[in-house]
Amino acid sequence: MKFVFTLLLGLLCLRSVAQTGIAEPELAHCDASMQQFMSRWNVLGASVAISKDGKLVYERAFGYADVARTVPMQPHNLLRVASISKTVTALAIMKLVEDGQLSLSHKIFGSDGYLNGRAYAKEIRDPRLRSITVQHLLEHSAGWDRAIGCDGYEGCDPIDFPTHVAKVMHVPNPVGDSTIICYMLRQGLNFGPGTRFAYCNVGYLILGKVLEAVTQQSYETWVRQHVLEPTGVLEAHLGHNLPAAHLERESSYLSRYRMRSCYNGSRQVPAAYGGFNLEAMGAHGGWLFTARDLVRLALAADGFDSRPDLLSAATLQRMTQPSAATPQYGKGWMLDGDTWWHTGHLDGTASLLERTANGYTWAILLNTANGSPQFWEDLKSLGWFWIAGVKTWPTHDLFAPAQNASHLQVTAPDAAHTRLAWTNGSGTHRLVLLRADSPSTAFPLDGTAYAVSSMLADGTIIAANTTDSTADLAHLNPQRTYYARIIEYRQDATTGNQPMYTLDGNPREVLSPAALSQQFPPLALTTKPAKRKWWQFGAAARQVVNASNAPTTESSSAPEGAELMPSVTKTRFLRVRRAWRAGFAHLGKQQ
């Protein structure tokens, strides 16, 4: 209640921050309270998603996705989720249990354990290690207590000192996850397995290795194929340490402090960028999500019938049953009665995922962290304040299609056209993005409709907007390289007639000069204005199109200088051709 009172006072003097996504009048108080929270705690950027009864009713982003505060955060931005990765790993492990490939009571180490190789066995000095089971690891009761120091450090969590682990284990930097496990085996346990609860990152790192040993696949590959893809989650990836390796649409992170580089212990670097070794955190803290697809994943394991669940009701009950060591943790979920939740915290990252007993789920992802207990209390209170303040919930579902277009192919139906053909995904429409010379770096925004021939911020052309599975592109210049991309989207009554775009895993094709030169003869553009940049002709042409709505009966030969112009209906084709000619003539007078 203290937070709510503070929030109401703060709204009176709120300083607005950038906000994107689809505005919902019924949920305006969510916007305002998020802005107030960010202002109070100096948060750089945030992404928020809320679902009710299986429908995504709210997706908004606030602040900025870059430290320079020039790029507004968008709902499509990926952010690190830190320890919410444990929920992902727990779902994967419980899926293996349900399928009979794992047993919760099976030992991890020792001759009969899942990880019985010599690399681990030779590090075991404490015999209690051979008693650790899958269930102990899931419930943080395996026997390690990170609050108890080791090797001169106040605590014993190797994510805090990766270069020390590399030195002790005589391996090069950056240290790998298997080496971290070996280091912790060498340390021994702080208590007997199953006797008490102590939150432990390395336990979930070990679970990732168990998954790999049982499935004979990499952790990320198996999770993607058996957990994410079956639940329609596309916007989820394991992250990387350095900005140069960041993923498409990934946010930047506001680092609050510096530490030794995990690559070179003699250098001090921002903890969020090469201090922590995110690439060795995988199963316990390495995932990136959008807020909306994190909610989508939670809905696939929420126990309600509004959407199909990945796990059976019996398996979900086992997963969310309080452990014998504490009533506040199950297997990958923190528990508060019938509310399941988890948080994540790293430098530059704060995250919260919460599922309630009455059909609400929300995710809040921040690119800024804060260690204050009051910060986390305020963050945890936000979702409850939001749902309490709604009188009427929107009835739409803003989830983008879960299945992309696929099998993109390029053909040449005639000497004047390049044809893109694909298999449609689960949306209602597709955008064809085309950019010359380099791949697109801009993306369509949810709630915004795009006309054919319009441009995104980086100059990418909307070459087609279609319900079909083909698009013809006219007169591409065979001396240039074009980058094509098919964006699946849904726009119908389900989404409240708002276009909702799927941006991850889109089919793409590079149309190279070599390929184009084999299909088309060089364009014969002899007029002097043809040296002008193509969008200058387009601008002049559009002026003529807008000024004339009369049909024409001119011949149907291709318009001069029609590079990048998509195929159109005959009437519009002739009008556009006339417009392009007028554009050439108008610009020629300016020479």
Side-chain angles (χ1 to χ4, degrees):
M1 291 302 296
K2 178 181 178 182
F3 170 72
V4 174
F5 178 71
T6 303
L7 175 61
L8 293 174
L9 290 179
L11 295 179
L12 298 177
C13 55
L14 179 65
R15 183 180 65 180
S16 179
V17 298
Q19 53 187 7
T20 60
I22 296 174
E24 303 294 344
E26 303 96 330
L27 305 178
H29 68 292
C30 301
D31 296 348
S33 59
M34 194 68 218
Q35 288 184 330
Q36 193 273 340
F37 173 86
M38 292 177 67
S39 178
R40 178 181 183 186
W41 293 106
N42 193 26
V43 173
L44 175 65
S47 184
V48 179
I50 307 172
S51 71
K52 180 183 185 297
D53 299 329
K55 295 181 178 180
L56 184 66
V57 294
Y58 179 90
E59 63 150 25
R60 294 282 267 166
F62 305 84
Y64 297 94
D66 67 326
V67 177
R69 299 176 186 263
T70 60
V71 180
M73 184 75 79
Q74 297 286 348
H76 64 228
N77 283 122
L78 293 159
L79 293 98
R80 297 171 179 172
V81 301
S83 283
I84 292 178
S85 301
K86 293 178 176 65
T87 306
V88 179
T89 299
L91 286 170
I93 294 296
M94 295 307 291
K95 176 66 174 169
L96 288 170
V97 170
E98 182 170 288
D99 292 345
Q101 293 181 263
L102 274 178
S103 168
L104 291 177
S105 60
H106 198 87
K107 301 295 193 298
I108 301 299
F109 302 108
S111 59
D112 296 328
Y114 288 123
L115 302 181
N116 57 12
R118 186 175 182 279
Y120 296 125
K122 68 185 179 65
E123 301 296 345
I124 294 177
R125 287 125 167 115
D126 185 341
R128 295 177 298 178
L129 287 162
R130 297 187 183 92
S131 299
I132 296 173
T133 66
V134 173
Q135 183 163 341
H136 292 146
L137 296 175
L138 284 167
E139 296 177 350
H140 296 286
S141 62
W144 286 287
D145 188 342
R146 63 178 181 172
I148 299 174
C150 62
D151 288 358
Y153 289 90
E154 291 184 2
C156 197
D157 192 337
I159 72 170
D160 294 327
F161 43 80
T163 56
H164 172 75
V165 175
K167 181 180 179 181
V168 169
M169 303 301 292
H170 305 290
V171 299
N173 290 313
V175 67
D177 51 5
S178 295
T179 303
I180 290 173
I181 293 171
C182 288
Y183 172 84
M184 292 303 292
L185 291 176
R186 186 178 293 186
Q187 297 300 316
L189 299 179
N190 304 112
F191 57 89
T195 60
R196 67 181 179 90
F197 173 89
Y199 192 86
C200 180
N201 287 316
V202 74
Y204 272 75
L205 206 59
I206 294 170
L207 286 171
K209 291 301 178 183
V210 169
L211 182 151
E212 292 182 339
V214 170
T215 66
Q216 294 298 297
Q217 288 184 274
S218 74
Y219 167 78
E220 183 176 15
T221 298
W222 194 91
V223 171
R224 184 166 307 285
Q225 292 177 354
H226 297 273
V227 176
L228 302 178
E229 290 177 357
T231 57
V233 174
L234 301 176
E235 297 171 334
H237 305 271
L238 287 183
H240 300 281
N241 295 330
L242 303 178
H246 276 194
L247 299 171
E248 181 181 83
R249 308 188 328 278
E250 181 177 356
S251 170
S252 295
Y253 306 96
L254 182 60
S255 186
R256 297 288 197 185
Y257 63 95
R258 301 173 74 84
M259 61 185 287
R260 289 182 178 180
S261 166
C262 69
Y263 295 93
N264 179 355
S266 64
R267 296 177 54 232
Q268 294 283 321
V269 299
Y273 292 113
F276 289 115
N277 186 7
L278 188 78
E279 293 168 21
M281 294 183 187
H284 81 76
W287 282 99
L288 281 66
F289 277 83
T290 59
R292 60 196 183 190
D293 256 15
L294 188 55
V295 166
R296 194 197 296 256
L297 178 63
L299 291 177
D302 64 357
F304 298 120
D305 59 7
S306 55
R307 298 171 73 91
D309 279 335
L310 177 72
L311 303 174
S312 69
T315 301
L316 284 173
Q317 195 277 332
R318 295 179 76 185
M319 185 177 183
T320 57
Q321 181 179 2
S323 73
T326 177
Q328 297 177 327
Y329 204 91
K331 298 170 180 64
W333 282 112
M334 298 174 180
L335 304 176
D336 184 2
D338 290 331
T339 296
W340 313 340
W341 59 289
H342 215 293
T343 56
H345 182 203
L346 278 173
D347 180 49
T349 296
S351 57
L352 171 67
L353 175 63
E354 192 146 0
R355 169 265 188 208
T356 73
N358 53 350
Y360 298 100
T361 300
W362 59 83
I364 307 172
L365 307 183
L366 312 179
N367 60 8
T368 310
N370 192 304
S372 165
Q374 188 62 52
F375 168 88
W376 289 97
E377 182 180 332
D378 289 358
L379 182 65
K380 185 74 164 57
S381 299
L382 279 171
W384 297 100
F385 176 78
W386 294 338
I387 63 175
V390 179
K391 294 181 179 179
T392 304
W393 285 94
T395 58
H396 58 220
D397 185 354
L398 298 180
F399 277 123
Q403 182 180 351
N404 265 301
S406 59
H407 304 101
L408 177 59
Q409 295 182 328
V410 182
T411 59
D414 55 53
H417 295 85
T418 298
R419 174 167 294 168
L420 303 180
W422 59 85
T423 301
N424 288 340
S426 57
T428 58
H429 301 72
R430 287 102 229 148
L431 291 183
V432 177
L433 273 55
L434 195 67
R435 191 184 188 200
D437 305 325
S438 61
S440 300
T441 58
F443 308 95
L445 303 180
D446 289 341
T448 301
Y450 294 88
V452 173
S453 298
S454 62
M455 287 191 297
L456 301 181
D458 66 345
T460 295
I461 292 291
I462 306 299
N465 188 343
T466 179
T467 59
D468 205 348
S469 59
T470 61
D472 288 349
L473 312 177
H475 289 282
L476 300 184
N477 187 335
Q479 297 181 2
R480 303 181 74 176
T481 296
Y482 297 92
Y483 295 81
R485 180 170 183 164
I486 313 300
I487 305 288
E488 192 84 12
Y489 73 98
R490 174 172 291 278
Q491 183 177 12
D492 58 12
T494 301
T495 65
N497 288 314
Q498 300 274 13
M500 307 303 298
Y501 299 99
T502 298
L503 300 181
D504 231 300
N506 306 138
R508 311 179 197 199
E509 189 68 43
V510 179
L511 311 178
S512 66
L516 292 174
S517 64
Q518 294 175 5
Q519 296 178 11
F520 313 121
L523 293 177
L525 299 180
T526 58
T527 57
K528 191 172 182 180
K531 295 181 180 179
R532 291 294 189 93
K533 293 183 177 180
W534 61 268
W535 56 79
Q536 292 179 286
F537 297 112
R542 282 192 292 273
Q543 292 177 4
V544 177
V545 170
N546 293 336
S548 174
N549 291 316
T552 178
T553 58
E554 295 184 59
S555 64
S556 58
S557 58
E560 297 116 337
E563 180 185 348
L564 292 179
M565 194 179 79
S567 295
V568 291
T569 62
K570 182 175 180 181
T571 300
R572 187 171 177 231
F573 179 88
L574 296 173
R575 188 181 303 140
V576 170
R577 187 195 67 174
R578 184 175 62 183
W580 277 84
R581 286 178 172 173
F584 272 104
H586 174 70
L587 291 170
K589 295 176 182 179
Q590 300 177 7
Q591 298 296 311

